[in-house]
Amino acid sequence: MEVDYVWGTSSNNVPVQKLEQHFRENFESLQPEYYVKVPGRVNLIGEHVDYCGYSVFPMAIDQCIVVAAKRTTDRQTVELTNLCTERYENVSKNISDISAESLGKSPSWSNYFMCGVKGAREYLSDSQLKAVEKVGFLFAITGNIPESSGLSSSSALVTAAVMATLVGYGVPISRLELAEISAKCERYIGTAGGGMDQAIAVNAKQGYAARIDFNPLAVKQFRLPADAKFIVAQSLAVKNKAASNDFNTRVVECRLASQIIAKQLNLEWEQMAVLATLQKRSGNSLDRMIELVHQHLHVDAYSKSEVCEILSVSEDQLDELSLTANTTNVAEFYLHQRALHVFEEAKRMEEFCRLCENSGAASDLGRLMDDSHSSLRDLYQCSHPDLEELVALSKREGAYGCKLTGAGWGGCVVVMVPSDGAEEFVKSVRDQYFSNRETCGRRIDELVFATSPSEGACCVHVK
Ligand code: ADP
Ligand code: NG1
Ligand code: MG
């Protein structure tokens, strides 16, 4: 059977022919019936604010996850095989046995995928579920999004699993709903993320970055300045967000900040799960919210017992109301710093959008990216020495702006450079950052590359 796909850039193609072969080798010489493709993303500004309810400004990249799929009717299992690396073992699971409890036990590659299968099944009505009772799936997966590097490989995988399952069941879904259920089911893995990654992966348009608003989810496409190019560079430090509690600690620090300020303002603090709700309910501007941080949150760390005392709850009640399973033992919460970052980053995001809409200067956009990065490093404490080296190098080489992208603690930076200097810039980063580092055989064009806004998720049926 002919498979004719041109996915990814010419230098960075996903091996779809190999995936088809891998499918046949692992699944009794059967052929895939359809393919699903979901891209990764870079976030230009609005970092670590989506789970606080604030808007973000990402774009999809060429790198993507591709799933080759086929329905079965003789077994009710989900069978997975992965072409990316031998470390990713084959897995088979009874489709009705995928439980939230088992998914939360380990962030293994197959558990990310199974989050998506579970999320898709939860979207079905009882009668739809009954109608597909005898349906199972064969899925073969590949992709070229660098993993655990802040380019959202996890959400591309989960979203692809949701899509591939719903397509197989023949259940239609809108793009916004698909993004929402994908964000929700990725949380089974244990990270309490926002919805940025899934929203852009599904709703991106080629040539456009997007402003994404939450509650309700809305996507607005934006052109980027013509005189600038965006470069992504990997630091080579990796960070799996579900393997430690760093990410969730930031999420709960923001929640505690919101609840403590609410309590001081005599608002119903139990309902203030996110900072944007606090802003809305208190009717304040972002500038006023920043003043409230300075007024009501001290700079020194809060202990759990201090938080309990302020909110007049027991530690068990706090666990229940505000913390996640993996943050109940956190000793210190930095509420002032985290809330300050979020409100100031939300302001920068608004300014970035305004500049894009009004053909603002690339240097002004770059300054906002620089400020975002400094805040992520100093207030949010989610940078990494290798990211700092890349940022310093980028600025020395004449970048308009540079920041870490995604959750941080390693991963990638996104750099805005003058269009006519992009090639030279990439060469300098190759020579200065990668020439004396162990790259484990990875091609240099996978480690530092120019990127432009790519198209969102799609599905292709094999003829
Ligand atoms: P990212 O910043 O890339 O989203 P995460 O820490 O959120 O990083 O998720 C990374 C995890 O996603 C990996 O450890 C792996 O389990 C899973 N993953 C990512 N890409 C793939 C892939 N191509 N195949 C299988 N699993 C993948
Ligand atoms: P990465 O680093 O791609 O896993 C995470 C979150 C986003 C967002 C960013 C920080 C998930 C699935 N992704 O991205 O929602 O909070 O960090 O801006 O939780
Ligand atoms: Mg992720």
Side-chain angles (χ1 to χ4, degrees), residues 278-279 282 284-293 343:
L278 172 68
Q279 189 194 352
S282 62
N284 290 314
S285 65
L286 281 170
D287 284 327
R288 177 68 189 135
M289 295 312 294
I290 291 167
E291 283 171 14
L292 290 176
V293 170
F343 292 131

Side-chain angles (χ1 to χ4, degrees), residues 146-167:
E147 284 169 31
S148 305
S149 300
L151 299 181
S152 192
S153 67
S154 64
S155 305
L157 184 64
V158 173
T159 307
V162 176
M163 260 180 95
T165 307
L166 287 178
V167 168

Side-chain angles (χ1 to χ4, degrees), residues 45-46 49-50 53-57 211-214 346 349-350:
I45 200 141
V49 298
D50 60 346
Y54 287 105
S55 308
V56 295
F57 199 86
R211 175 197 168 116
I212 295 170
D213 300 328
F214 301 98
M349 209 300 307
E350 295 297 340

